[in-house]
Amino acid sequence: MYGRVSLFVTCLVDQLFPNVGLAVADVLERLGYQVEFRPQQTCCGQPAFNSGYREEAQAVAEHFIRVFRDADFIVVPSGSCTSMITHHFFELFPAGSDLREEVEYLAPRVWEFSKFLLEVAKVEDVGARFEGVVTYHDSCHALRELGIREGPRRLLAKVRGLTLREMSIAEECCGFGGTFSIKFPEVSAGMARTKIESILKTGASTIVSIDSSCLMQLQGVIARMGVPLETKHLAEILASR
Amino acid sequence: MNGRDALLAEVRQALGRQKGQAPPPPPPPRIVIPELSLPQRLALFRSRLEELGGKVLEVPTLAAARQAVAELLDGPAVASNSLVLAKAGIPSLPRVVSGLRDAAALREACRNAAYGITSADFALAETGTLVLMASAQEDRLVSLLPPVHIAVVPVSRLLSGLDELYNRKAKPAEETSAMILITGPSRSADIEMILVRGVHGPRLVQVIFVDEDVE
Amino acid sequence: MIISAERKQSIERAVADPKLQLAVYSATARLKQKRVEAVSPAELPDYQQLRECAHQLKKHALENLDYYLEQFEANVLAHGGKVIFAQTGKQVGEFIATLAKQRGVSLLVKSKSMTTEEIHLNEALEREKLEAVETDLGEYILQLAHERPFHIVAPAVHKTRHDVADILSQKLGVQREEVPEHQAMIARRTLREKFLAAGIGISGANFLVADSGAVVLVENEGNARLCVSAPPIHVAVAGIEKIIPRAQDLPVFLKLLARSGTGQRLTVYTSFLSGPRRAAEVDGPSEFYVVLMNNGRTKLLADSSKRESLFCIRCGACLNACPVYRKIGGHNYPWAYSGPIGAIITPQYQGLSQDPWLPYASSLCGACAEVCPVKIDIPRILLELRHEVTREERRQGKNGLERFAFRAYSWVMRKPKLYAAAGRAAALGARLPGMLSLGPARLWASQRETPKPAAASFRQLWRQRQAGRLP
């Protein structure tokens, strides 16, 4: 009744957090969407782009465009990867370049998962239940490049059994930053520790985000610190009943 | 080619501009003057300055201003050559030095004074600011060297804020070599972010608004 | 990206120094919070319009900079001042030293200026046997301690009151004093004598107003006012990018600068200075010089994609917002300018080969751009600089391993089957002992636990899921 959405699960979810991708599919299907996964998909090119390897990023971006050029809705469980496509593809393919028109056509069809729920599916309550106290981590690219701030919180507010407690520095970076995390490991982990210390003060037991990369960073430092916190992607919360 | 021409040529080359090429019109100035009645301006000025640790008095006449100043002084003072102060008779108060036209003498007097007394060309309500334009009437040091600065200002000079000031004085340089905005007492937070007043300038700014015009 | 072992160790030391971390984190948190309040819609409803307006004004002024520099010069001359054009920092030092010698001046007072920090003016004057005294409280403490500013607006933010007590008692021979207020009064007394004895006052410039030939200085302590009022000669040193077209543009910039920097509505003192003391005026300097300095700025001007780096009004908001600055601190940035703005301008001024790590010292979180009052797109410029670094490395044949890795990445990511197979191989491999000793994995694991590889990839699970649904 609603039409088709194509998942771009991101390489990180594909390889490390497949449950996040499945949760996205579950939520969308419950809402009546027909969900497809195009197995030719790989990565958006962001790791290379952010490291300064534009030619390499461009080649990966071209592959992305070829895979998804005819999709109506492309849903992505990541603010960062969404922003790579909807914002930075324009830098990779400046006005006058061969694929510019394709990028202009494609970019508005690419949706970060929570934004898709609220603005396309127009739902706040997806019928989820999750018992627990959670805190929401604003991932930087979602927040500052896509303007996603209230949306995920509105979705969480409708989850039965869930209590949302804000940390004081929800909008500060977790320190991941792609290759930054291995170029400056001490700085990167120090940023995560600052964040986790703020989270511990909320009394929440679960950190929710819309980016698995932030959660991977936070989970890694949480495990090293040995503190009682778990991380969950928003889709996993919304898929639970 | 001298240093000047070489630098300008380098700038032009960087920008792809020709010597003497006129620029496109700049964006229009953004001047937004809020509508504030005099009582509103007064209340705003007071709250702004008090927030910063300054003080505000309102008096009806120049004579009352003189009285208010007299009550504040308990040490040597220097008064600027402002017409407002003269009309109020402040230079004739005991222990007030005024009428100094020699920079060295003025500096010496300011150094030893506990109070510096000036008027102001304008005051700005939105920020609690005094505006002093260097002239024969207002020098630079009386409001700066002594530990307390007292300003006697006709209330008609109280503007809404920065926008109104620069609307009235679009070209301050045509009138003065120095237009100084003073917003509260001198302060620093350079050590552990702890607020300290009176670091180099006055530790107290006392404004006396007079509801009487001069000239 | 290549970083020296010394720099890397110094960064690690800063991150591991709890005293430094606490001092910097709490000070920047406070400045950050004050800024948020000062630009909130209730306090400044037209904040976003002001930012846009400031951006457009800076853009216009810089795109027509030669015109406005000439206009500025003509107006300074008309009011009896002089303008000196300096291509390099060395020329600035030479001009001031020569002027001092001609006028028989041996003591100079200085107000805080990042531009003079940039060119190490104090050291240059010292070599000429001239005494140049910093008079901003924080800068004065740092000058006594022989350190450079840690932060653009809060230079001694890394010093505790106990550090300050040590410095003042050791360097000035005064009694040890632990209370900041008393420490400030020691500085007031000592510096007051310097102001009154100095022959030249040196200032920077927050703005140069073209239509007035005016130098605008903003400050809180009054030391800049004293520098430009007490000595008989005032020399302002300014980068050519500080030009704004009109005095009427000042409200926009003044509202943004103080609120972004310290959360004040306006700094305590704003001085609009146009020339030497005029005939009728009672006091003020009798000579007024403005040194307009290039020192590499035309390089930035020529690059239209990164020209906006020159819009900076030095409010320091990006430092307070930057989680990396807050961890590594100001002294790990190699030049006078630290934080995100330092990370984009230093490589542009000094070339990319000197500190190619700078544009990489960022998680690209964008907090800097969010708070920038003149809307400099710092993350975009960081990314462009990273691109330039890799191109430069390619040319010089450096950092080959990383380049190879990204070539391989790019190749694999265009071959879905190979990607899928490689992903599974890596997942299997990660279970093998010894895998964690490999470069990136080892760096990751040095600070955090490595995620457990999923037993099956999404694409494998998806195939199973869809197969299970077939009728």
Side-chain angles (χ1 to χ4, degrees), chain C residues 45-194:
Chain C
D46 53 352
Y47 171 57
Q48 294 301 343
Q49 291 97 298
L50 287 167
R51 286 178 83 203
E52 182 56 30
C53 184
H55 181 92
Q56 294 303 334
L57 283 166
K58 277 283 182 185
K59 183 168 186 284
H60 171 83
L62 286 173
E63 284 173 354
N64 302 283
L65 185 60
D66 56 313
Y67 172 84
Y68 287 113
L69 285 171
E70 287 194 276
Q71 192 189 15
F72 175 81
E73 179 196 27
N75 284 316
V76 171
L77 290 173
H79 296 125
K82 292 205 170 76
V83 177
I84 291 86
F85 291 82
Q87 284 286 15
T88 62
K90 189 163 165 276
Q91 289 174 2
V92 177
E94 285 165 0
F95 165 74
I96 296 175
T98 307
L99 181 70
K101 285 175 184 165
Q102 281 171 358
R103 300 291 187 275
V105 170
S106 57
L107 174 65
L108 303 88
V109 281
K110 268 193 81 238
S111 66
K112 182 170 145 32
S113 145
M114 291 309 296
T115 310
T116 60
E117 289 291 339
E118 166 190 331
I119 60 174
H120 306 292
L121 181 62
N122 290 346
E123 291 81 348
L125 296 176
E126 234 169 79
R127 282 195 296 274
E128 298 291 327
K129 312 273 177 268
L130 296 166
E131 185 188 357
V133 182
E134 291 291 345
T135 59
D136 170 85
L137 179 58
E139 292 274 354
Y140 179 57
I141 292 164
L142 294 185
Q143 191 180 32
L144 292 175
H146 299 289
E147 281 187 36
R148 64 186 181 94
F150 193 91
H151 187 287
I152 291 176
V153 298
V157 71
H158 60 303
K159 295 280 181 218
T160 64
R161 67 184 80 185
H162 311 297
D163 299 333
V164 175
D166 289 342
I167 294 164
L168 292 177
S169 61
Q170 281 162 22
K171 302 287 177 172
L172 298 178
V174 295
Q175 208 180 334
R176 202 182 154 80
E177 189 51 80
E178 298 271 348
V179 181
E181 194 178 342
H182 300 166
Q183 294 171 337
M185 289 311 124
I186 293 172
R188 178 181 166 112
R189 278 195 301 277
T190 315
L191 291 172
R192 183 57 68 94
E193 296 315 310
K194 302 280 185 191

Side-chain angles (χ1 to χ4, degrees), chain B residues 4 10 17 24 27 30 48 107 111 140 143 163 173 177 179 181 183 186-188 190 192 200-201, chain C residues 66 73 135 138 161 188 192-193 220-221 225 230 246 255 265 268 270 272 274 278 281 283 298:
Chain B
R4 172 193 184 276
E10 229 180 277
R17 282 174 48 83
R30 188 177 194 282
R48 294 303 195 225
R107 172 194 290 226
R111 225 179 143 163
R140 300 193 190 201
S143 60
D163 295 73
S177 74
M179 181 167 87
L181 276 53
T183 307
S186 154
R187 61 191 266 164
S188 174
D190 273 351
E192 287 191 18
H200 289 294
Chain C
D66 56 313
E73 179 196 27
T135 59
R161 67 184 80 185
R188 178 181 166 112
R192 183 57 68 94
E193 296 315 310
N220 282 319
E221 295 181 4
R225 275 183 78 193
R246 301 158 299 214
K255 285 179 201 176
R265 291 193 181 90
V268 176
T270 304
F272 183 98
S274 43
R278 306 213 177 148
E281 291 172 12
D283 59 358
T298 43

Side-chain angles (χ1 to χ4, degrees), chain C residues 387-402:
Chain C
H387 184 209
E388 286 174 27
V389 169
T390 62
R391 276 194 310 198
E392 188 65 26
E393 285 174 347
R394 186 168 305 185
R395 245 193 316 275
Q396 297 179 1
K398 286 184 186 164
N399 207 11
L401 200 59
E402 185 183 278

